[in-house]
Amino acid sequence: MGKIKEKKKEYFSQYYSEDERRVIKSKYRDILKRAEPFIQGDDLKQIRKAFDLSMDAHKEMRRKSGEPYIYHPLEVALICVEEIGLGPTSIVCALLHDVVEDTDLTLEDIEADFGSKVARIIDGLTKIAENFEQSQSAQAENFRKMLLTLSEDVRVILIKLADRLHNMRTLESMARNSQLKIAHETIYIYAPLAHRLGLYQIKSELEDLYLKYNEPEAYKSIANKLKSRKKKREEFIEKFMEPIAKRLKAADIDFYIKGRPKHIYSIWNKLRKQNTTFENIYDLFAIRIILKNISPEATDREKAACWLAYSIVTDEYKPNPDRLKDWISTPRSNGYESLHTTVMSHTGVWVEVQIRTERMDDVAERGYAAHWKYKGADTSLNKPLDQWINQVRETLEAKDNSAMEFLEDFRGNLYNEEVFVFTPKGDLKVIRKGSTVLDFAYEIHTEIGSKCTAGKLNGHLVPISHVLENGDQVEILTTKTQKPSEDWLRFVVTTKAKARIKDALKEENKTYVADGKEIINKKLKILNIENSLETLNQLRAYFNKKDYNELYYFFGKGYIQPDEIRKFKSEREALENKRKKIALKEEDYKTAKSFEKAIRKSKGQDHLLIGDDLQELDYTLSKCCNPIPGDDVFGFLTVNEGIKVHRTSCPNSQQLLTSYGNRVIKAQWSSQVEKAYQVSIEMSGVDRMGIIQDISTVISEELHINMRGLNVETDGGFFTGNIKVFVFDTKHLDKLIRKLGKISGINSVKRLRSEAA
């Protein structure tokens, strides 16, 4: 079995307490119970082998919360089988998804014991080592790597979504800057991905958790208001449904009702966009009528039953004609099927009613995974999602695309509505809302897009930039002499069109890039400027270009003239001279800084504390969002300009936190930091498994105290330890000492010293 060995229960007792082993066993049994309908052949043996390997690989690892790390892969596996509906292979991959990244086991070891399919999925879930230049994004590179495997097996993304969901559910124990990074990455990529794959429940929970950590006050306010109105909401739904239920039963329609409030993030978004109050939002909840016992094979019967239920609802309550959404006749591109209508209740309140069958509801809740369940009944059910996977594959094939370009293009197609247009022969095409004639041409074929000169709608000529609408019938006109231009990138919106245009332009632009590089090199030599990486970075920043190639291209194309470098030199020299004139000697500078801090503190002025240790480091306030004392902020380590401080609501925060999270630094105003004192506490007692976790639980979870350091030594079954914590006063310290003294096995707890933190 390669490096993988079976371990006895006694072996793991060294690393997990009795309570922890009980929890692990319970979680593992839950996984097997949920997976039972899917298990066949040697699936059970493979799952057990993956479980044992994961237990061994993570035996010495703990999460930030102090819990055993093995809880995480177990929870990810449970989400895969219970909330997404995946089978044994995905359970094995979920249990193993971190072992290659965190241990000395290799993909070759995994392949030897579990086969090439599992190894390929694990490869897609394993991060690339972060050895990138500062201007590159490790997150974007890792995401592209993951999607390379997605194009072969969609389970990579489904397992990654389960992984991200559990990380978000347990985000509370992370540092604030890590919370911001992970939350923004989630709302930027993972929630839209869940939406695109039809995983409505997961998408909504990810959005709510993002809001919980990014806008905690808004989240609590909406959650409390929804909770306080729960009883009234349930009473209203019961009364509203009473006459409809009688009619449905009379029509011999078997059904059940789901009534749920809109998710907190959805309500928050509406409050923000409409600039209104919670009390003024009328559609705070939706009523879902689920039709039972209709065979998935009989799609015509499904549609007829939904429309019959719709007629019963609208006979009882007057509908708003502008609010009918028919996703049964033409499903959305993520496979979503449902009838939505908004009707006026007898109490004068608008109510959204959704009508669908059990199969449609299963697909709406669990997306792509649910499609596999019904694929045998109708292979067309999977078609929209299969087409999207093909689009991802085409995007990945784009030549010379940077990971950031790829990420931006890819994300552009995740959260968009569709329009339905027709070819001259009457074939239906579903494309992104906002698509132009040129987008449509590329959708048909790359060559047709590259040669497109105009479109014909209902006999009328329209330009290639014309935006298409539902029901348009489009004929593409082409000429042999036509070729892509940079101008096309201004109005195309689909990933496929952008990628194909960029591919064509890059071949042509290589010459301009080479010419531009030569022009810059010559000019730097003439002006006696050092041709170094630092100079190129300064030039790139001066001319506001995202990378070196773009800088070279603009010079090669003639958009920037060589003499502009002379202006750059003059301004750089002027800046250096200014710095020299106002620079203080080192000792004077330190004295001035100390004096400045003392004056500021004596006047009670707010100042910024940066880093995990909350020190007063040098920084500049970002001009894009102009933070002021009291704002929720974070620090960002730039390439050339030191630490820049941004508000968490800054327009640029999404990209910085998502794409360059490893350069994000914790920052807080002094008024937001309670006055705390560092205290050293000495403890001693009987050594036992789990005692460190019990200590961490008391400090972090029960008393919410920040811990600065922990040092423990054991000898002959006894331990002595020194722990540094932050407390606010002697009462706070006394409470901590009392709590620690009650932990089983601890004999002595005493304070050594304290200092202001």
Side-chain angles (χ1 to χ4, degrees), residues 404-676:
M404 283 302 296
E405 279 182 307
F406 164 76
L407 189 58
E408 289 169 12
D409 288 346
F410 175 80
R411 187 179 178 276
N413 273 347
L414 287 177
Y415 242 147
N416 294 285
E417 296 181 22
E418 301 90 19
V419 293
F420 308 100
V421 295
F422 297 89
T423 67
K425 293 182 179 180
D427 295 331
L428 176 66
K429 296 282 185 182
V430 183
I431 58 175
R432 175 180 167 180
K433 188 175 182 179
S435 291
T436 61
V437 169
L438 187 58
D439 285 301
F440 183 70
Y442 273 106
E443 191 64 32
I444 297 170
H445 195 277
T446 299
E447 194 62 25
I448 292 174
S450 297
K451 301 298 180 186
C452 178
T453 53
K456 191 179 281 188
L457 268 66
N458 305 318
H460 299 287
L461 282 174
V462 292
I464 59 175
S465 58
H466 180 84
V467 177
L468 301 176
E469 297 179 0
N470 271 326
D472 280 345
Q473 190 168 22
V474 191
E475 180 184 352
I476 301 298
L477 304 179
T478 62
T479 61
K480 291 182 180 179
T481 56
Q482 180 70 300
K483 64 178 183 178
S485 74
E486 286 180 41
D487 194 49
W488 287 11
L489 291 171
R490 287 192 305 104
F491 53 80
V492 292
V493 296
T494 61
T495 300
K496 183 175 181 178
K498 285 180 179 178
R500 295 296 172 264
I501 294 167
K502 286 177 180 177
D503 283 347
L505 292 175
K506 276 173 182 172
E507 288 303 315
E508 182 181 339
N509 292 346
K510 281 179 181 177
T511 305
Y512 294 118
V513 169
D515 290 347
K517 188 174 184 178
E518 184 64 24
I519 289 168
I520 290 173
N521 289 343
K522 285 182 178 178
K523 197 66 180 177
L524 290 176
K525 191 173 182 180
I526 291 169
L527 295 173
N528 199 26
I529 301 174
E530 183 186 3
N531 191 347
S532 64
L533 191 61
E534 183 182 358
T535 300
L536 287 174
N537 267 324
Q538 290 174 351
L539 280 170
R540 180 189 57 75
Y542 181 80
F543 292 110
N544 196 26
K545 300 304 166 209
K546 64 183 179 184
D547 55 35
Y548 302 140
N549 279 346
E550 187 179 26
L551 177 70
Y552 297 148
Y553 173 78
F554 269 70
F555 273 90
K557 191 80 173 175
Y559 295 150
I560 303 175
Q561 294 301 315
D563 274 350
E564 290 291 311
I565 297 179
R566 189 184 298 276
K567 186 179 176 183
F568 156 78
K569 181 185 180 184
S570 299
E571 291 187 15
R572 188 172 74 162
E573 288 175 349
L575 184 62
E576 283 299 317
N577 289 333
K578 187 177 180 181
R579 282 176 180 166
K580 287 176 182 177
K581 286 178 182 178
I582 64 172
L584 297 169
K585 291 180 180 178
E586 187 65 24
E587 287 304 315
D588 291 341
Y589 175 77
K590 287 179 181 177
T591 303
K593 289 295 285 185
S594 300
F595 183 70
E596 178 190 327
K597 288 178 186 177
I599 292 294
R600 189 169 58 214
K601 288 177 181 177
S602 69
K603 291 182 177 180
Q605 292 178 357
D606 215 349
H607 51 288
L608 202 61
L609 307 174
I610 295 174
D612 291 334
D613 295 335
L614 295 177
Q615 301 175 51
E616 288 197 46
L617 303 178
D618 289 337
Y619 64 88
T620 55
L621 297 175
S622 176
K623 292 180 181 178
C624 55
C625 56
N626 295 317
I628 61 172
D631 283 338
D632 198 3
V633 294
F634 64 92
F636 184 77
L637 185 60
T638 65
V639 176
N640 294 315
E641 300 175 82
I643 298 170
K644 281 203 165 185
V645 175
H646 295 258
R647 291 163 59 193
T648 56
S649 57
C650 171
N652 295 319
S653 66
Q654 188 91 86
Q655 184 185 7
L656 297 177
L657 289 161
T658 300
S659 301
Y660 302 100
N662 57 320
R663 289 156 60 187
V664 172
I665 303 170
K666 182 178 180 180
Q668 280 184 282
W669 299 101
S670 58
S671 60
Q672 296 172 324
V673 181
E674 292 187 73
K675 186 63 177 176

Side-chain angles (χ1 to χ4, degrees), residues 195-210:
H195 168 84
R196 193 62 186 76
L197 289 168
L199 296 160
Y200 175 77
Q201 277 303 109
I202 288 177
K203 166 242 182 191
S204 298
E205 187 176 350
L206 288 174
E207 289 175 336
D208 283 356
L209 288 168
Y210 157 79

Side-chain angles (χ1 to χ4, degrees), residues 707-720:
M707 185 162 53
R708 181 70 177 269
L710 173 64
N711 181 41
V712 176
E713 293 182 359
T714 61
D715 184 22
F718 290 89
F719 83 92
T720 56

